[in-house]
Amino acid sequence: MTVGEPVKIRIHHIEVAGQDVEVIEPVDSPNAYLTKFLETHGDCFHHLALTFEKHAEHLSMCKILATQGYRCVFEAHVRDLLVNYYESSDNSGIALELKSVVEV
């Protein structure tokens, strides 16, 4: 399943207080999820990323979020990596990014 549309992005990494902060910038993608988010909310915090060591735990969290009223707004398979973005129904705009390596 694919949710959303492909998007071209630039990724910048900066160190803040010893932690890696990833800044994502959409490029030439006027209808993409991230572009629309920035138009609505401006430059701001977008999501918290959770990386799962076990793919099954990732899939379980997807089910839990769905039962809690979160909706999947983006899903992509990048080589052996599965990435999902979930937004809550409270219109805060803050999302959860879930990712794991798909086990074969």
Side-chain angles (χ1 to χ4, degrees), residues 18-53:
Q19 299 298 312
D20 178 54
V21 175
E22 180 180 78
V23 179
I24 300 171
E25 174 187 8
V27 179
D28 300 327
S29 301
N31 296 318
Y33 164 71
L34 290 172
T35 303
K36 291 180 179 189
F37 175 86
L38 291 171
E39 289 171 356
T40 302
H41 299 282
D43 293 338
C44 64
F45 177 82
H46 175 259
H47 71 275
L48 176 66
L50 304 171
T51 302
F52 294 86
E53 288 185 20

Side-chain angles (χ1 to χ4, degrees), residues 1 3 33 37 45-50 52 57-76 82-99:
M1 171 175 71
V3 177
Y33 164 71
F37 175 86
F45 177 82
H46 175 259
H47 71 275
L48 176 66
L50 304 171
F52 294 86
E57 292 174 351
H58 175 163
L59 298 178
S60 293
M61 182 57 78
C62 290
K63 290 177 184 175
I64 291 168
L65 291 173
T67 63
Q68 296 294 318
Y70 286 77
R71 68 185 178 94
C72 184
V73 294
F74 179 80
E75 179 176 288
L82 173 62
V83 180
N84 298 93
Y85 281 87
Y86 281 85
E87 283 186 351
S88 68
S89 57
D90 67 2
N91 293 321
S92 66
I94 297 176
L96 292 173
E97 174 188 7
L98 310 179
K99 54 187 171 181

